[in-house]
Amino acid sequence: DIQMTQSPSSLSASIGDRVTITCRASQSIGRNLNWYQQKPGKAPSLLIYIASSLQSGVPSRFSGSGSGTDFTLTISSLQPEDFATYYCQQSYSIPRTFGQGTKVEIK
Amino acid sequence: QVQLQESGPGLVKPSQTLSLTCTVSGGSISSGSHFWSWIRQPAGKGLEWIGRLYTSASTNQDTSLKGRVTMSVDTSKNDFSLKLSSVTAADTAVYYCALGDSRDDAFHIWGQGALVIVSS
C-alpha cells in the first residue's frame, strides 16, 4: 500500500496568513493526488484534484502543486472559514489511501 | 445536483454484519463516468478507504479488511450498499458513501455520514 504522510499534523495561523501543507507519498504517484477539507462534524469536501485542478466552487486562494512523491496545498490568505482539517489522498493505486490529516487552527 | 444519504442501524453487535445503504438523489446511479465508494472515519482519526464499485458490479476493496466486505448496487432503487461481516469494536466509525469521477478518480460528492457503533 502507498503511505501518505502529511506535515505538519497541525498548525496555528492568523487570518490573512499564507499556509502551506505538505503531503509525501511512499512511492511515485505521478499527479494522482487529491486534497479534501473537513470541518468538525461534517463530511469531507473536495478542494483539489489531479494535484492542481481546483474543484468548481472552491475559492481561488486554494492551490495545489507537485508531482511524483511531493505535493503541497497552499492557502494564499487564510480566511475564518478555512479553519478545518485537510487531507491528501492518492488515486494512483488500490487501496486508495489518505494522509493522516493536518488541522489548521486559529492563532 | 446529486446528493447521497447513508442509512442503516447505528448499533451492531460484535461478530454480526454491519449493513449500510447509500441512496442517490438528484441523478441516476447509472449515469456518467462514476463510481461509488465507501470510506470510514473512526472517532478522532483519519479517513479509511473501504472500497468502490461500478454499476457494472465490478468492485475493488481494501484487502486489509480480509474479505469481510461486500458491496452491491441496485439500479432499480438508485442506491448501493455495504456489508461488513464479523465486526469488532475496531469497526466503530462514521461511514461515508461518496461519488467518484472516473476521469480524475477523486471523491466529488459525499454523504453526510452514518455513525455505526459496534457494541454488545
Side-chain angles (χ1 to χ4, degrees), chain A residues 1 34 36 38 41-46 49-50 55 87 89 91 94-100, chain B residues 39 41 45-49 52 60-63 96 103-108 110-113:
Chain A
D1 298 1
N34 308 308
Y36 302 87
Q38 186 178 33
K42 300 294 186 182
S45 62
L46 179 64
Y49 58 95
I50 315 178
Q55 170 68 349
Y87 294 93
Q89 173 248 326
S91 54
I94 297 294
R96 301 302 192 226
T97 47
F98 293 85
Q100 82 279 15
Chain B
I39 296 155
Q41 186 171 37
K45 297 189 177 181
L47 300 163
E48 301 175 356
W49 182 81
R52 70 178 179 186
N60 302 107
Q61 60 182 260
D62 190 340
T63 55
Y96 295 101
R103 293 168 296 185
D104 54 44
D105 248 328
F107 305 117
H108 283 253
W110 296 63
Q112 66 183 31

Side-chain angles (χ1 to χ4, degrees), chain B residues 16-71:
Chain B
Q16 294 191 344
T17 296
L18 176 160
S19 295
L20 291 171
T21 296
C22 183
T23 301
V24 180
S25 60
S28 171
I29 198 169
S30 301
S31 67
S33 55
H34 298 144
F35 59 88
W36 308 94
S37 291
W38 291 97
I39 296 155
R40 69 181 183 180
Q41 186 171 37
K45 297 189 177 181
L47 300 163
E48 301 175 356
W49 182 81
I50 297 171
R52 70 178 179 186
L53 71 163
Y54 296 81
T55 50
S56 65
S58 72
T59 64
N60 302 107
Q61 60 182 260
D62 190 340
T63 55
S64 70
L65 292 170
K66 297 182 174 63
R68 297 192 291 130
V69 172
T70 302
M71 294 177 290

Side-chain angles (χ1 to χ4, degrees), chain A residues 18-94:
Chain A
R18 182 180 182 89
V19 170
T20 298
I21 299 168
T22 297
C23 178
R24 175 164 288 177
S26 60
Q27 65 183 74
S28 178
I29 59 171
R31 292 178 57 79
N32 297 287
L33 190 284
N34 308 308
W35 290 97
Y36 302 87
Q37 177 192 67
Q38 186 178 33
K39 297 181 179 179
K42 300 294 186 182
S45 62
L46 179 64
L47 293 174
I48 302 282
Y49 58 95
I50 315 178
S52 61
S53 295
L54 193 67
Q55 170 68 349
S56 175
V58 174
S60 59
R61 62 181 179 272
F62 290 92
S63 64
S65 65
S67 65
T69 60
D70 295 317
F71 301 86
T72 59
L73 173 70
T74 299
I75 309 173
S76 61
S77 177
L78 197 65
Q79 298 302 302
E81 60 267 31
D82 301 336
F83 292 96
T85 300
Y86 294 85
Y87 294 93
C88 62
Q89 173 248 326
Q90 62 83 15
S91 54
Y92 179 80
S93 68
I94 297 294

